Amino acid sequence: MKPVSVVEKDESLLITALQSGDKRAFRVLYEQLHPAVYRFIYALLKDQSHSEEILQETFIKLWANRHKLDSQQPLYPYLYLIARRLAIDAFRKVITENKLKEHLQYVVNDVSNHTEEQLLLHDLRQCIDAGMKQLPHQQRLVFQLNRLEGLSYDEIAKNLKISRNTVRNHLVSALKTMKIFISKNDITIFFLFFFLLH
């Protein structure tokens, strides 16, 4: 075989030398072809760092698959095919990673929001329980049956054997007392309480 320095301009001879594991042939082919391959990759990815990585991977694959080359075929279409596949894979990976990041961020936010809601509801329930202890027995009973158990005025009146108007009066008084009590403890919980119970 001729020395590489004699055959630098003959790609077919360089490919034949490369097939036999000639590292000098590989370096010559790299120097000749890598600028065009890099421009091709960069046109796809628009990112210098990723493009350089793909360029390196392209020529690593060329070296690893050198025995599969056909010395009678030009090398650049083969390199472009490798580079294109690697660039597409990299592009898909970036998209997948971004989607994964977005999904994880959504999950984290969702869990965080859920935790905050649970804490607020827990605090509200504690305030309601404490506030209910301030109510007279009948007001407390009416409040619990209506606001916590969902019974209607008529159902409460029937269960407690009192008039519907008395139920309403007890509930109005209970709500007034509860709002004052809770507003003194936490303004945030007061607003939550207002929307839930008013």
Side-chain angles (χ1 to χ4, degrees):
M1 181 181 297
K2 297 178 183 179
V4 171
S5 59
V6 176
V7 296
E8 284 182 358
K9 295 182 181 179
D10 192 330
E11 189 177 271
S12 65
L13 292 177
L14 284 168
I15 293 172
T16 300
L18 177 62
Q19 287 174 315
S20 67
D22 190 321
K23 292 180 181 179
R24 291 174 301 168
F26 177 78
R27 282 196 296 270
V28 171
L29 287 167
Y30 177 82
E31 290 302 322
Q32 289 179 356
L33 297 171
H34 89 268
V37 177
Y38 174 80
R39 286 194 298 273
F40 172 74
I41 297 167
Y42 186 80
L44 293 175
L45 297 181
K46 308 293 187 193
D47 182 278
Q48 182 180 347
S49 177
H50 281 135
S51 297
E52 289 172 354
E53 288 176 14
I54 298 301
L55 179 68
Q56 289 180 0
E57 287 184 49
T58 299
F59 279 90
I60 288 170
K61 284 190 175 292
L62 172 65
W63 177 259
N65 297 302
R66 62 189 182 279
H67 59 282
K68 298 178 182 179
L69 298 174
D70 184 347
S71 62
Q72 302 307 310
Q73 298 295 324
L75 194 55
Y76 71 86
Y78 177 72
L79 286 173
Y80 282 13
L81 183 61
I82 294 173
R84 180 177 176 274
R85 287 176 181 164
L86 290 172
I88 290 172
D89 288 345
F91 190 70
R92 286 176 178 160
K93 184 179 179 183
V94 168
I95 291 174
T96 301
E97 287 176 352
N98 287 340
K99 285 184 178 177
L100 180 60
K101 286 177 185 175
E102 289 175 6
H103 178 69
L104 288 174
Q105 190 63 43
Y106 171 79
V107 170
V108 168
N109 289 340
D110 190 50
V111 169
S112 176
N113 290 340
H114 179 71
T115 302
E116 289 174 9
E117 288 170 6
Q118 291 297 102
L119 288 171
L120 280 173
L121 288 174
H122 175 73
D123 289 347
L124 174 62
R125 185 60 205 232
Q126 282 191 325
C127 277
I128 289 174
D129 289 343
M132 284 175 63
K133 290 177 183 177
Q134 309 299 316
L135 300 175
H137 174 72
Q138 195 78 341
Q139 284 185 22
R140 182 167 66 248
L141 195 53
V142 169
F143 178 87
Q144 181 173 341
L145 290 173
N146 178 257
R147 295 298 172 163
L148 302 182
E149 297 181 23
L151 270 63
S152 68
Y153 285 9
D154 290 333
E155 289 170 327
I156 296 170
K158 184 177 180 182
N159 287 344
L160 298 182
K161 297 182 175 27
I162 56 178
S163 70
R164 187 178 188 282
N165 193 50
T166 301
V167 170
R168 187 187 68 80
N169 290 338
H170 279 320
L171 189 59
V172 168
S173 296
L175 282 171
K176 183 178 179 181
T177 302
M178 290 292 287
K179 286 178 185 177
I180 292 170
F181 175 80
I182 290 177
S183 68
K184 290 178 180 178
N185 286 273
D186 191 317
I187 191 66
T188 303
I189 293 175
F190 167 70
F191 280 113
L192 181 59
F193 174 80
F194 180 83
F195 284 114
L196 287 174
L197 302 179
H198 186 58

